């Protein structure tokens, strides 16, 4: 019988961390956007230190833009999903997946905060599944 498992999140400690992170995201939904902005700035600094000036500068600039306008990250994901949906419909021939992806992109564009809540729900579920696996509940 196949077991219920999710990738990456596995074990008691990681399960507890995922549940706590999910709760934090529900309490402060834009915190994930700020974390990504800070990580982009840090990555840009590492790139510059390693000699990659152009990608480093681009990463720092985008990180600052994400920190100043946290919703922009959600809109970029929405735009990506819309473009991917159009590509799946017309270039790939995957009509069903294309329509689902296009619809998901439109929902994210109309309700940008839904992306943060969906990620929070994922962390909560994955954390509880990891804890359940650890204790042998399923």
């Amino acid at each position: 019988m196949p077991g219920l498992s999710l990738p990456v999140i596995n074990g008691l400690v990681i399960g507890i961390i995922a549940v706590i992170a999910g709760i934090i995201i529900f309490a402060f939904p834009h915190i994930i956007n700020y974390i990504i902005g800070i990580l982009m700035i840090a990555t840009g600094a590492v790139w510059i230190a390693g000699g990659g000036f152009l990608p480093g500068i681009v990463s720092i600039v985008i990180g600052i833009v994400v920190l100043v306008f946290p919703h922009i990250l959600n809109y970029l994901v929405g735009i990506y999903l819309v473009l991917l949906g159009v590509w799946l419909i017309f270039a790939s021939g995957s009509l069903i997946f294309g329509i689902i992806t296009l619809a998901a992109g439109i929902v994210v564009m109309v309700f940008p905060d839904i992306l943060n809540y969906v990620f929070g729900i994922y962390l909560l579920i994955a954390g509880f599944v990891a804890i359940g696996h650890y204790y042998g509940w399923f």
Side-chain angles (χ1 to χ4, degrees):
M1 181 169 120
L4 176 64
S5 65
L6 296 168
V8 180
I9 299 176
N10 199 353
L12 180 63
V13 174
I14 298 298
I16 292 170
I17 291 171
V19 169
I20 292 169
I23 291 169
I24 290 171
I25 289 174
F26 270 107
F28 309 104
H30 295 291
I31 198 166
I32 192 76
N33 298 52
Y34 293 120
I35 291 171
I36 291 171
I38 291 168
L39 286 175
M40 291 179 80
I41 292 171
T43 302
V46 170
W47 265 335
I48 290 174
F53 293 106
L54 183 61
I57 291 170
V58 169
S59 181
I60 289 172
V61 168
I62 293 174
I64 291 170
V65 169
V66 167
L67 285 176
V68 174
F69 306 107
H71 275 112
I72 199 163
L73 192 61
N74 298 20
Y75 287 119
L76 289 174
V77 171
I79 291 168
Y80 169 76
L81 289 173
V82 167
L83 293 175
L84 179 63
V86 169
W87 181 81
L88 285 171
I89 291 169
F90 294 111
S92 176
S94 299
L95 183 64
I96 301 298
F97 290 117
I99 291 172
I100 292 169
T101 305
L102 184 64
I106 291 170
V107 167
V108 169
M109 294 292 291
V110 174
F111 306 107
D113 285 340
I114 198 167
L115 202 55
N116 298 356
Y117 289 111
V118 167
F119 187 64
I121 290 169
Y122 167 76
L123 287 176
L124 285 172
I125 292 171
F128 286 127
V129 167
I131 292 168
H133 273 291
Y134 180 81
Y135 285 114
W137 297 335
F138 42 85

